[in-house]
Amino acid sequence: MLVSEVGEFGLIKLLAEAFGIPYPPSREGRQAGLLVGLGDDAAVAPRPDGPVIWTTDTLVAGVHFLPERSSWQDVGWKALAVNLSDIAAMGGTPHLSLVTLLLPPDFCVEDALDLYRGLHAAAQEYGVTLAGGDIVRAPVFAVTVALSGLALTGALGQSRVLTRSAARPGDVVAVSGTVGDAAGGVRLLQAGSAFETDAERRLRDAQQRPRPRISLGRQAVRAGLRCAIDVSDGLVQDLRHVATASRAGIRVEANRVPTSDALRAVFPGEAAGLALSGGEDYELVLIGPRPAVEGLIDASETPLTEIGEVYAADEPHVAVIDEAGREVPLPRAGWDHLTRP
Amino acid sequence: MLVSEVGEFGLIKLLAEAFGIPYPPSREGRQAGLLVGLGDDAAVAPRPDGPVIWTTDTLVAGVHFLPERSSWQDVGWKALAVNLSDIAAMGGTPHLSLVTLLLPPDFCVEDALDLYRGLHAAAQEYGVTLAGGDIVRAPVFAVTVALSGLALTGALGQSRVLTRSAARPGDVVAVSGTVGDAAGGVRLLQAGSAFETDAERRLRDAQQRPRPRISLGRQAVRAGLRCAIDVSDGLVQDLRHVATASRAGIRVEANRVPTSDALRAVFPGEAAGLALSGGEDYELVLIGPRPAVEGLIDASETPLTEIGEVYAADEPHVAVIDEAGREVPLPRAGWDHLTRP
């Protein structure tokens, strides 16, 4: 059996089963030695002075970005940003990062410097220390960032993080900013767009310079929320991760999902579809009791839109509902790192 | 300019200069926010409950190992072991690890399970929690492990770690176990050996199943030592890293460098050369005042051999001395990840 046949999540499930690690994550099963284990946006481990959060993400040339269509500064920014977004989705504060570069021998030194300019800019912006890493030769360029963060703690020192398994029936589902822009940006890049309009450039920037929602994640914890995920694989697929971990159903009203003027201008008629299935927005989905979510919407400077609710269900399910109240069939699940051609 | 022209350490130097990070490490220059920064075996950051150590290392198929000559269990073991050795070289205790896999689509699920069997075995043996990671598609197999550890602290809570910059003139240099075996193992693997003798199998195991010296590193800290490095790039090259960071000279007596019976049996006449330039032994070089080193040699169950001393020098230098007291010319520097063909 090949890994492309079982897919990323199938492979993780097989590995977890083989070593007795609870997966997908749930409220009941907790991995030994961890507060939050395999299958959430990040791992959380207890420490006497407060829990540490830990995550890692990789960008591979030709898989996660096209070198001929991206500047190396943007690749550097994004390599850190995608990890920052995982810390944001736990409600944490980023701290230290390690950077691993796989470099082909004919990679240019100036491009490596540009890559670090992007990494450094994101590190400065978000208060991260670049603490070292590893540089190795490889036939393909890849950059792996490992990032640690600190969780908020309660008055008794207990961990207060946002997890995928904390959604409860009756909870409200909200999303920050707009979704689908990054997927629109990918389409334009693949089509060789010259990015002549502001709207097109906005979609490109959403794809290449995502801005993780660190402050919002922390604010959500303080507002009493306990469940979140960042939109990396695609809104519906990411909601499925929450539904699975929380063993619940999630109902989303399609016409409430926020899209940008830019996306609707560049892709008229397709914006709603891109918003549901497109990945890499790095917005936060925040889920909690109505008073907490409404309090957060009022208090937050970041636009937050209510898009649906959690309901009790025997099988995890995400239902997208049209204006007539009918469930719309979903064309595509979202991103799987191993099965996508 | 290509990265293969400047080499791994040249590239790190350029990157550090561009962003104002002290490199190579020294006693004086310390990276903002860190107790030990870029250029040591691992980074060390202060935390209220004691310093954390953080390191990462990558194995790329065809570069760091040959898939047709290594079992996937051995690759998994080694992927964690090389990181454990960096924690050992700081005198720390390993804690959490994140594992990133780059997998070609035609990679077999059973091989991925075998890889994790090796990772899991090393994690169990050394008390590490495998806390998650990332799995992505790539045209080449690679495994990156990021590993955190905890440093020992003094009575006043200060960090007590072993660094490359702490060697002082008059200090004694010792090495654990024997060196050169892993390089002998590589030679046999490259030559397609059938590993029919115990000696040949011992060299292969040294290369494929290294046993990091975690206990010895901690014992060295407790014995009052402050300087160490692990033998990963090759004994002489690793001593050069210490000489550079400590701004000192290091004199090694070639005939005192410990080699195994197996290495001398399989490579008669070449053992001394392999011991000086071969990498991947993952033994510890421990450096400190004579009473501390002698105390450690007496107390440690791990064989430790005195091989030389540190002397005051205007320029960092490593001198290997033969029995007649002459400095021997060194054929090869050791491993550089980018320039080696």
Side-chain angles (χ1 to χ4, degrees), chain B residues 30-277:
Chain B
R30 183 193 276 186
Q31 194 178 341
L34 298 176
L35 299 171
V36 179
L38 193 67
D40 215 304
D41 291 288
V44 184
R47 289 278 291 144
D49 57 349
V52 292
I53 306 175
W54 220 29
T55 190
T56 186
D57 255 315
T58 294
L59 305 181
V60 180
V63 177
H64 300 92
F65 69 95
L66 299 171
E68 62 275 23
R69 299 266 175 211
S70 303
S71 79
W72 288 106
Q73 288 202 34
D74 286 343
V75 174
W77 174 282
K78 189 161 172 176
L80 190 56
V82 298
N83 283 282
L84 288 163
S85 185
D86 285 325
I87 301 287
M90 309 302 287
T93 306
H95 180 208
L96 290 179
S97 74
L98 296 176
V99 178
T100 297
L101 296 184
L102 274 66
L103 297 180
D106 64 351
F107 197 83
C108 288
V109 170
E110 191 48 47
D111 291 341
L113 282 164
D114 264 346
L115 180 89
Y116 263 84
R117 286 184 186 108
L119 277 165
H120 193 253
Q124 295 274 96
E125 176 98 14
Y126 288 93
V128 170
T129 300
L130 297 174
D134 193 18
I135 300 180
V136 297
R137 183 164 51 86
V140 65
F141 171 92
V143 51
T144 297
V145 171
L147 181 63
S148 72
L150 309 175
L152 290 170
T153 49
L156 301 172
Q158 75 277 30
S159 163
R160 291 176 67 190
V161 289
L162 304 165
T163 66
R164 298 179 179 186
S165 58
R168 299 282 187 285
D171 278 357
V172 171
V173 179
V175 67
S176 64
T178 60
V179 286
D181 287 3
V186 169
R187 285 244 195 130
L188 292 174
L189 285 162
Q190 286 171 340
S193 165
F195 297 101
E196 285 171 353
T197 70
D198 279 347
E200 287 169 341
R201 286 191 288 273
R202 187 179 152 156
L203 302 187
R204 180 192 59 193
D205 290 351
Q207 208 277 324
Q208 301 197 323
R209 287 263 167 173
R211 301 194 60 79
R213 300 292 195 181
I214 294 289
S215 310
L216 179 63
R218 291 164 57 87
Q219 215 175 353
V221 171
R222 292 209 186 87
L225 275 72
R226 288 294 170 266
C227 179
I229 191 168
D230 71 327
V231 183
S232 56
D233 294 341
L235 180 63
V236 168
Q237 173 134 334
D238 289 316
L239 288 172
R240 284 192 185 123
H241 294 318
V242 173
T244 301
S246 298
R247 286 194 213 134
I250 298 176
R251 191 178 293 114
V252 172
E253 294 177 54
N255 63 346
R256 297 183 81 169
V257 174
T259 54
S260 69
D261 294 344
L263 189 67
R264 291 192 307 274
V266 179
F267 295 102
E270 292 185 90
L274 289 166
L276 291 171
S277 67

Side-chain angles (χ1 to χ4, degrees), chain A residues 9 49 51-52 80 90 95 109 120 131 147 169 181 183 189 192 200-201 239 254 258 292 302 304 309 322 327 329:
Chain A
F9 303 114
D49 56 349
V52 292
L80 190 56
M90 309 302 288
H95 181 207
V109 170
H120 192 253
L147 180 64
D181 288 4
L189 285 163
E200 287 169 342
R201 286 190 289 272
L239 287 171
T302 310
L304 261 181
E309 61 180 352
D322 68 13
E327 189 169 341

Side-chain angles (χ1 to χ4, degrees), chain B residues 5-25:
Chain B
E5 297 173 271
V6 298
E8 179 188 8
F9 303 114
L11 180 60
I12 294 171
K13 192 158 184 287
L14 284 171
L15 293 170
E17 275 169 12
F19 300 102
I21 297 170
Y23 180 86

Side-chain angles (χ1 to χ4, degrees), chain A residues 12-51:
Chain A
I12 294 172
K13 192 158 186 287
L14 284 171
L15 292 171
E17 276 169 13
F19 300 103
I21 296 171
Y23 181 87
S26 66
R27 281 190 288 278
E28 298 78 24
R30 184 193 277 185
Q31 193 178 341
L34 297 175
L35 300 171
V36 179
L38 194 66
D40 216 304
D41 291 287
V44 184
R47 289 278 291 144
D49 56 349

